[in-house]
Amino acid sequence: MNNSIFSVLQRIGRAFMLPIALLPIAGLFLGVGASFTNDAMINAYHLSGVIGKGTFIYGILNVIKSAGDVIFDNLPIIFAIGVSIGMAKSEKAAAALAGAVSFFVMHSSISAMLTAFGTKAMDGA
């Protein structure tokens, strides 16, 4: 029994590692892009001629920032798909699709409940 619990926990841990592996590079992209496109930083170091708005480097840094931002903006769906793939023993594509559909149904259902019942739906009343 101890072995089966450990094996299930090990599978869950591996499943969570799949989406978590994206976070370091997304954080670097977002951090570098956001810090070097920040107006306060550009003005403080008098870099408006080099990386100010309208320059080529500013455009590249803005793309890098957007690439990191999209990962963090879509983290719930990435986790839904990644954990589904990680937990599936076979038919990983079907599991990924099921994870995405489940996320969309959950998101839509919660939105409809909040629209219909307000915050009372979240309080359990």
Side-chain angles (χ1 to χ4, degrees), residues 3-87:
N3 245 355
S4 65
I5 293 172
F6 181 71
S7 104
V8 169
L9 289 175
Q10 195 172 24
R11 278 187 55 208
I12 291 171
R14 277 195 309 257
F16 275 105
M17 288 308 294
L18 191 60
I20 287 174
L22 290 171
L23 294 179
I25 192 68
L28 285 170
F29 280 1
L30 186 59
V32 168
S35 63
F36 287 113
T37 57
N38 186 344
D39 289 335
M41 195 281 301
I42 292 172
N43 292 333
Y45 293 107
H46 309 291
L47 295 172
S48 58
V50 179
I51 59 173
K53 286 186 181 174
T55 63
F56 179 75
I57 296 174
Y58 184 87
I60 296 296
L61 290 169
N62 212 15
V63 169
I64 290 172
K65 180 182 129 206
S66 295
D69 210 14
V70 75
I71 299 295
F72 285 106
D73 287 346
N74 295 301
L75 207 52
I77 187 71
I78 291 170
F79 265 91
I81 294 171
V83 170
S84 298
I85 291 171
M87 291 298 290

